[in-house]
Amino acid sequence: MSHYLLSVMEPVGPRPAPEVLEPIMQAVGDVDQAMREAGVWVYAGGLHDPSTATVLRAKDGDVIPTDGPFIEAREHLGGFTIIDADDLDAALDWGGRLAVATGLPIEVRPFRY
């Protein structure tokens, strides 16, 4: 088994209205529960908006903090799930299920060991 990161790429902008978001969250919860039942779920979490981020850069032996990312993007990392899957095909299957549940792009990436 190998660990995979399933990254949820959210569009920049306001959160959807509750009547739109609630069915999405229910569908995500269903996929999350299926992952747990299959024994592949390791950890999952949602992130605050990119404006809450602090970027730390090393320069000349010092660490310089700056607010948020520098580049403007149409999408950002909004959440993630870490799974322990048999292979890439299995990870892609779980990522596809998450994409259907969220309606958002999901990046599937293996961890390097």
Side-chain angles (χ1 to χ4, degrees), residues 24-112:
I24 293 170
M25 295 310 295
Q26 178 62 49
V28 169
D30 293 345
V31 173
D32 201 51
Q33 184 60 37
M35 288 180 184
R36 289 172 189 261
E37 290 170 2
V40 301
W41 186 92
V42 175
Y43 184 82
L47 301 171
H48 287 283
D49 293 337
S51 64
T52 65
T54 301
V55 177
L56 303 174
R57 297 186 190 280
K59 183 173 182 179
D60 300 325
D62 290 326
V63 176
I64 302 167
T66 57
D67 292 336
F70 286 109
I71 59 171
E72 287 193 32
R74 296 184 332 194
E75 296 176 335
H76 63 274
L77 179 62
F80 62 91
T81 299
I82 297 171
I83 61 171
D84 192 10
D86 288 334
D87 54 32
L88 179 59
D89 288 338
L92 292 173
D93 179 62
W94 286 111
R97 293 182 195 194
L98 196 54
V100 169
T102 61
L104 296 171
I106 304 297
E107 177 184 294
V108 178
R109 186 182 296 191
F111 278 84
R112 187 182 312 171

